[in-house]
Amino acid sequence: MKNEKTPIPYKIYLEESEMPKQWYNVRADMVNKPAPLLNPATGEPMTAEELGAVFCEELVKQELNNDDRYIDIPQEIADFYKMYRPSPLVRAYCLEEKLQTPAHIYYKFEGNNTSGSHKLNSAIAQAYYAKKQGLKGVTTETGAGQWGTALSMACSYLELACDVYMVKVSYEQKPFRREVMRTYGANVTPSPSMTTEVGKRILAEHPGTTGSLGCAISEAVESATSREGYRYVLGSVLNQVLLHQSIIGEETKTALEKYNIEADMIIGCAGGGSNLGGLISPFAGAKLRGEKDYQIIAVEPKSCPSLTRGKYAYDFCDTGKVCPLAKMYTLGSGFIPSPNHAGGLRYHGMSSTVSQLYEDGVLEARAVEQTEVFQAAIDFARVEGILPAPESSHAIKVAVDEALKCKETGEEKNIIFGLTGTGYFDMYAYQAFNDGKMTDYIPTDEELEASFATLPQIG
Amino acid sequence: MKNEKTPIPYKIYLEESEMPKQWYNVRADMVNKPAPLLNPATGEPMTAEELGAVFCEELVKQELNNDDRYIDIPQEIADFYKMYRPSPLVRAYCLEEKLQTPAHIYYKFEGNNTSGSHKLNSAIAQAYYAKKQGLKGVTTETGAGQWGTALSMACSYLELACDVYMVKVSYEQKPFRREVMRTYGANVTPSPSMTTEVGKRILAEHPGTTGSLGCAISEAVESATSREGYRYVLGSVLNQVLLHQSIIGEETKTALEKYNIEADMIIGCAGGGSNLGGLISPFAGAKLRGEKDYQIIAVEPKSCPSLTRGKYAYDFCDTGKVCPLAKMYTLGSGFIPSPNHAGGLRYHGMSSTVSQLYEDGVLEARAVEQTEVFQAAIDFARVEGILPAPESSHAIKVAVDEALKCKETGEEKNIIFGLTGTGYFDMYAYQAFNDGKMTDYIPTDEELEASFATLPQIG
């Protein structure tokens, strides 16, 4: 509900001195903690030592830390954040006017940096801890390319080597992303590739595959664990990533408080859960502590509907099955979305933390079709100026739907959504839409059943 | 010189209430006014009526107004500015650290909007006045695409038709820019084209031409003047454009004053002069009034050196010679830069206002080579995060040179430069540089003499 004491500017920027000094760990407020990662060989929870073979030490601690509510942001990371943060919380005056809605719409815009998205928030943290551990470099996968770009930027800044396995379909459709990564000094390999054993195996089994995040993860993990001085880093799904991304939610909360705005609804797009988890964390925390009953909505594509049609079960995080098992809402690690699906949000599973919050009713989920998402994106771009990423546009679509409901009911809700990034590198997808060539895709029940059959028999 | 009373944040954002409410018209402070536009048929100054056949009425008034020091920004334009302004004045702490310079470096970053540059500042103003005059639409040309994108955004917002003639080499090298414009509802035509008489004539004379801004201007003017309810708008060169762009300089000045920073040096890249003129206006004004002797530097490419090697003379603004004559530093309207030159700054002439300021010694000029510009761009991107446009990187190169001079002399100068935009749509150029395939090009004296021969015999 509205509660305005001061005129609200188009863009709320926090002062440097108001920026969060700590990340917020929502797990500390969860009664039902996210299920632990399991060793696929033993079925037992992964130990810190086992995880340390893949991940940096400090990040393993953060991954396993279900207790500390706040974790200090190291000064070096805080300084890097100052180069592109705080991000603005934008009041969508023009969108409200166009929709003629009594709702107040706000979006937290994470696109004002070269990675084009929120991914840089965790990239700099992970690169920092790798550097601090004295490592030579890190490996990772990237889908649409935002994460790879973000990690390249962070590694370049810290002078750390960076090897990126890029999902083949994106590597081919998004050559500009590849060049941005190269400009920041990263080595970029299309995945699946012949540079790893798991890549060779996947190519032998599926010669025409356009790749998936799951494949690329397997390759990046193998590349890190088979070399001295390297570790693997991941841009989504993990608890540590949600922790770093809580900077989004913390800034949002501070900005709202600064102007006495009471959020009613928080909306975020959900692929692996990094942006969503980060944005909603402080609000989910308040809800878990019984302080306020926010409506929290995760939006996913109908073509990759892990929350709305998936199973809550232990699954492999990667196609090659080299990673630990995670309990999550999943479509099965064998699920590969149709290539007609543009942009990110292609991952078969969902962050364990977000999955548990969903299981416990802290958040709800909606699935939307691709063409309605692009229509919402273009309508938004024309009045708000910003050309959104396809991923972010899932949240726009639902925010607009909710604002139109308010128009019917007359409710003056405060709707907050996450605008995770820009669509500058997604122009082929926009072109397909502009030319009327974009289609929708919804997997059949039979397809999902076949994919569920790939779930491991655990628990 | 340094004069710090408050700690200076990484990014200085003005409050909405601190944003300029007026544009500053530097011509009011010039003793030698920029020379008037001439009618090529009569050799007489263009009258308001003659100009009104091509340009919107209110913009003609602004074009001819050499007297009013300040002009109010209409509320509708001020509201639009709030969607993407104020732009940050960034303290380049990381670049200073890398250079180990005692200088303090600041850049005014205009890239945080979908047009990717400062061009939106004038696009919304011009579209607004066209709408207010009851026109159906506007036509324009675009080179690298920033201006066309900016105008598309402004027209889409105001529901005005928008026809863009895009220099053919950019149309082909930058398909993404084209798609952004289409996404905002513009009609985009590669120039020279067969849709205009002047386009047909140019194609007949130079069948293999990759186009130039001068050609595209001719086509856009013809397209506007041959149809009812259309006018032509231009993204640079004109006095009115510099007026609108003064928002950059005014914000910069206010931000500096807010933190008691005394600028010593202002550096901007110069193509047609829109960014440079806007950024330096208030500083040049103070210098003209004898208040402070700023060092002001225009940076241009050696491949298109209108200030450093051009003649100060009346010339055609366009290749097709359909526009009025302007007195400016020019290479001759027949000059077409080598296609190996990436990005913008390809125009044969320079804004009359900037030219007169240069002639009067208010600013100096430097020319730099393409490869050294890209090296500076990448060095900058790796420490400051932002991937700059090739155009903007000309200013980076000279700012770095000056900061290194300070390192030698120990001077703690405050260096301000304009970072006009991002390079996200220039990745083919970055790729060429990354692959070691980029070369430099400097026109020979003979080439320039041949081009000067195209100058009209006036004055």
Side-chain angles (χ1 to χ4, degrees):
Chain A
M1 268 171 294
K2 278 201 293 192
N3 178 16
E4 294 170 20
K5 289 178 183 162
T6 324
I8 295 167
Y10 279 63
K11 299 196 287 336
I12 304 175
Y13 279 107
L14 301 179
E15 301 288 328
E16 257 180 30
S17 57
E18 296 169 316
M19 283 176 68
K21 292 176 180 53
Q22 297 177 308
W23 292 304
Y24 167 66
N25 181 7
V26 70
R27 286 168 283 158
D29 281 313
M30 292 169 71
V31 177
N32 300 317
K33 306 293 181 191
L37 296 168
L38 299 186
N39 183 327
T42 63
E44 294 297 313
M46 292 286 286
T47 64
E49 197 183 342
E50 286 170 331
L51 287 169
V54 180
F55 301 110
C56 305
E57 282 166 27
E58 193 62 33
L59 294 167
V60 169
K61 284 186 200 161
Q62 293 180 357
E63 190 64 28
L64 298 175
N65 186 338
N66 287 341
D67 303 316
D68 294 324
R69 188 174 276 163
Y70 289 100
I71 292 173
D72 288 342
I73 301 174
Q75 190 56 47
E76 293 86 342
I77 298 175
D79 283 343
F80 188 89
Y81 280 165
K82 286 180 202 159
M83 288 210 294
Y84 69 100
R85 307 200 67 82
S87 69
L89 181 69
V90 185
R91 173 74 183 271
Y93 281 115
C94 299
L95 181 61
E96 290 171 18
E97 166 91 14
K98 185 188 155 83
L99 299 176
Q100 291 286 305
T101 175
H104 288 195
I105 308 174
Y106 297 84
Y107 52 93
K108 180 69 170 168
F109 180 46
E110 292 287 318
N112 277 347
N113 71 73
T114 300
S115 80
S117 82
H118 65 293
K119 294 288 184 182
L120 199 50
N121 301 331
S122 186
I124 185 61
Q126 297 192 49
Y128 167 79
Y129 290 119
K131 183 79 180 179
K132 203 176 160 201
Q133 194 176 324
L135 297 177
K136 288 181 204 159
V138 291
T139 71
T140 199
E141 81 295 332
T142 198
Q146 284 100 332
W147 168 247
T149 310
L151 190 68
S152 304
M153 289 172 69
C155 287
S156 151
Y157 181 80
L158 295 168
E159 299 184 343
L160 205 59
C162 180
D163 292 343
V164 180
Y165 287 86
M166 186 171 189
V167 177
K168 191 177 279 175
V169 62
S170 298
Y171 185 91
E172 286 162 2
Q173 286 179 359
K174 304 190 173 185
F176 283 11
R177 283 274 188 210
R178 182 189 71 213
E179 285 309 317
V180 177
M181 289 186 259
R182 287 184 68 213
T183 298
Y184 281 93
N187 301 311
V188 189
T189 307
S191 169
S193 77
M194 299 297 282
T195 69
T196 64
E197 293 308 313
V198 65
K200 288 178 198 165
R201 202 176 75 220
I202 290 168
L203 280 171
E205 285 170 18
H206 309 280
T209 180
T210 56
S212 70
L213 270 182
C215 293
I217 293 172
S218 302
E219 292 205 83
V221 170
E222 181 185 320
S223 168
T225 53
S226 60
R227 285 186 295 170
E228 193 73 34
Y230 279 78
R231 289 295 184 282
Y232 166 73
V233 297
L234 178 62
S236 190
V237 179
L238 294 175
N239 294 330
Q240 59 190 264
V241 178
L242 268 68
L243 174 71
H244 306 147
Q245 295 296 356
S246 71
I247 185 94
I248 305 172
E250 286 291 314
E251 279 186 12
T252 302
K253 195 161 151 284
T254 305
L256 292 171
E257 283 165 3
K258 187 171 177 176
Y259 285 89
N260 292 302
I261 303 157
E262 287 279 353
D264 295 296
M265 188 181 291
I266 329 298
I267 302 167
C269 65
S274 71
N275 146 71
L276 180 81
L279 171 67
I280 70 169
S281 270
F283 303 98
K287 193 168 175 174
L288 286 160
R289 296 190 301 270
E291 293 164 14
K292 164 129 199 199
D293 190 26
Y294 299 103
Q295 186 177 5
I296 302 176
I297 307 175
V299 190
E300 62 184 11
K302 281 198 176 171
S303 57
C304 193
S306 51
L307 286 173
T308 51
R309 295 176 69 197
K311 284 197 194 309
Y312 191 39
Y314 268 102
D315 194 6
F316 296 99
C317 295
D318 61 324
T319 316
K321 305 180 181 179
V322 303
C323 288
L325 299 168
K327 190 173 180 189
M328 54 185 179
Y329 275 86
T330 177
L331 300 167
S333 64
F335 184 81
I336 294 184
S338 156
N340 94 330
H341 171 71
L345 312 185
R346 299 170 62 89
Y347 189 60
H348 67 275
M350 178 59 63
S351 139
S352 291
T353 302
V354 169
S355 292
Q356 188 62 47
L357 290 170
Y358 180 58
E359 180 71 6
D360 292 342
V362 177
L363 60 94
E364 59 194 273
R366 299 213 192 138
V368 290
E369 293 195 355
Q370 176 162 257
T371 50
E372 62 183 357
V373 164
F374 272 81
Q375 187 61 58
I378 290 175
D379 292 345
F380 177 84
R382 291 191 178 185
V383 292
E384 288 288 322
I386 296 167
L387 187 74
E391 297 83 354
S392 326
S393 304
H394 288 71
I396 296 175
K397 167 65 184 152
V398 170
V400 167
D401 287 349
E402 290 296 324
L404 290 175
K405 278 187 207 164
C406 289
K407 186 177 176 178
E408 283 177 25
T409 63
E411 287 173 288
E412 295 185 350
K413 285 186 183 171
N414 284 320
I415 300 173
I416 320 295
F417 74 88
L419 191 72
T420 54
T422 55
Y424 305 149
F425 293 100
D426 299 284
M427 293 319 299
Y428 287 129
Y430 274 98
Q431 181 170 9
F433 185 85
N434 290 338
D435 292 342
K437 289 180 182 161
M438 180 174 279
T439 56
D440 292 310
Y441 170 78
I442 301 176
T444 63
D445 289 341
E446 292 69 29
E447 283 175 280
L448 289 187
E449 284 308 321
S451 180
F452 291 145
T454 64
L455 286 171
Q457 300 305 313
I458 281 185
Chain B
M1 265 169 296
K2 277 202 294 193
N3 179 16
E4 292 170 20
K5 288 176 182 161
T6 324
I8 294 166
Y10 279 62
K11 298 195 288 336
I12 304 175
Y13 278 108
L14 301 179
E15 301 289 327
E16 258 181 29
S17 57
E18 296 169 316
M19 282 175 69
K21 290 173 181 57
Q22 297 177 307
W23 292 304
Y24 167 65
N25 182 7
V26 71
R27 286 168 282 158
D29 281 313
M30 291 168 71
V31 176
N32 300 317
K33 308 293 182 191
L37 296 168
L38 298 187
N39 183 326
T42 64
E44 294 298 312
M46 293 286 286
T47 63
E49 196 182 342
E50 286 170 331
L51 288 168
V54 179
F55 300 110
C56 305
E57 284 165 27
E58 192 63 32
L59 294 167
V60 169
K61 284 185 202 161
Q62 293 179 358
E63 190 63 27
L64 299 175
N65 187 338
N66 286 341
D67 303 316
D68 294 325
R69 188 175 277 163
Y70 290 100
I71 292 174
D72 288 343
I73 301 173
Q75 190 58 47
E76 293 85 343
I77 298 174
D79 284 345
F80 187 90
Y81 279 165
K82 287 179 200 159
M83 289 209 295
Y84 70 100
R85 307 200 68 82
S87 69
L89 181 69
V90 186
R91 172 74 183 269
Y93 282 115
C94 299
L95 180 61
E96 290 170 20
E97 165 91 16
K98 185 187 155 82
L99 299 176
Q100 292 286 306
T101 174
H104 289 195
I105 308 173
Y106 297 85
Y107 51 94
K108 180 70 169 167
F109 180 47
E110 292 288 316
N112 277 346
N113 71 74
T114 300
S115 80
S117 82
H118 65 292
K119 294 288 184 183
L120 200 49
N121 302 330
S122 186
I124 185 61
Q126 296 193 50
Y128 168 79
Y129 291 119
K131 183 80 179 178
K132 203 177 161 201
Q133 194 176 326
L135 298 177
K136 289 181 203 160
V138 290
T139 70
T140 198
E141 80 297 331
T142 198
Q146 284 101 330
W147 168 246
T149 310
L151 190 68
S152 305
M153 291 173 67
C155 287
S156 152
Y157 181 81
L158 296 168
E159 299 184 341
L160 205 60
C162 181
D163 292 343
V164 180
Y165 287 85
M166 186 171 188
V167 177
K168 191 176 278 174
V169 62
S170 298
Y171 185 91
E172 286 162 3
Q173 286 180 0
K174 304 191 174 184
F176 284 11
R177 284 274 188 208
R178 182 187 70 214
E179 286 308 317
V180 177
M181 289 185 257
R182 287 184 68 212
T183 298
Y184 282 93
N187 301 312
V188 188
T189 308
S191 169
S193 77
M194 297 298 281
T195 69
T196 63
E197 294 309 312
V198 66
K200 286 177 199 167
R201 201 177 76 218
I202 291 167
L203 281 170
E205 286 170 18
H206 309 281
T209 179
T210 56
S212 71
L213 270 183
C215 293
I217 293 173
S218 302
E219 290 205 87
V221 170
E222 180 185 321
S223 169
T225 52
S226 60
R227 284 186 296 169
E228 193 72 34
Y230 279 78
R231 289 294 184 283
Y232 167 72
V233 297
L234 179 61
S236 190
V237 179
L238 295 174
N239 294 329
Q240 59 189 265
V241 177
L242 269 68
L243 174 71
H244 307 146
Q245 295 296 355
S246 70
I247 186 94
I248 305 172
E250 286 292 315
E251 279 185 12
T252 302
K253 196 162 149 281
T254 306
L256 292 172
E257 283 166 2
K258 189 171 176 176
Y259 286 90
N260 293 304
I261 303 157
E262 288 279 352
D264 294 297
M265 188 181 289
I266 330 290
I267 301 168
C269 65
S274 72
N275 147 72
L276 178 81
L279 171 66
I280 70 169
S281 270
F283 303 98
K287 193 166 175 174
L288 286 161
R289 295 190 302 270
E291 291 165 18
K292 164 131 197 195
D293 190 27
Y294 299 105
Q295 186 177 8
I296 302 176
I297 307 175
V299 190
E300 61 184 12
K302 282 198 176 172
S303 57
C304 192
S306 50
L307 286 174
T308 51
R309 295 177 68 197
K311 284 197 192 306
Y312 192 39
Y314 268 103
D315 194 6
F316 296 100
C317 294
D318 60 324
T319 316
K321 306 183 180 177
V322 304
C323 289
L325 298 170
K327 189 171 180 189
M328 52 186 181
Y329 274 86
T330 178
L331 300 168
S333 63
F335 184 82
I336 295 184
S338 157
N340 95 329
H341 171 70
L345 312 186
R346 299 169 63 87
Y347 189 60
H348 68 274
M350 177 60 62
S351 141
S352 292
T353 303
V354 169
S355 293
Q356 187 63 48
L357 290 170
Y358 180 57
E359 179 71 6
D360 291 343
V362 177
L363 61 92
E364 60 194 272
R366 299 214 192 138
V368 289
E369 293 195 355
Q370 176 163 257
T371 49
E372 63 182 356
V373 164
F374 272 81
Q375 187 61 58
I378 290 175
D379 292 345
F380 177 83
R382 291 191 178 184
V383 292
E384 287 288 321
I386 296 167
L387 187 74
E391 297 84 355
S392 326
S393 305
H394 288 70
I396 295 175
K397 167 64 184 152
V398 170
V400 167
D401 287 348
E402 290 296 323
L404 290 175
K405 278 186 208 164
C406 288
K407 187 176 177 178
E408 282 177 28
T409 63
E411 286 173 289
E412 295 184 351
K413 284 187 184 171
N414 285 319
I415 300 173
I416 320 294
F417 74 89
L419 192 71
T420 54
T422 54
Y424 305 149
F425 292 99
D426 300 283
M427 294 318 299
Y428 287 129
Y430 274 99
Q431 182 170 7
F433 184 85
N434 291 336
D435 291 342
K437 290 180 181 160
M438 180 174 279
T439 55
D440 292 309
Y441 169 78
I442 301 176
T444 63
D445 289 340
E446 292 69 28
E447 283 174 281
L448 289 187
E449 285 306 321
S451 181
F452 291 144
T454 65
L455 286 171
Q457 300 306 313
I458 283 185

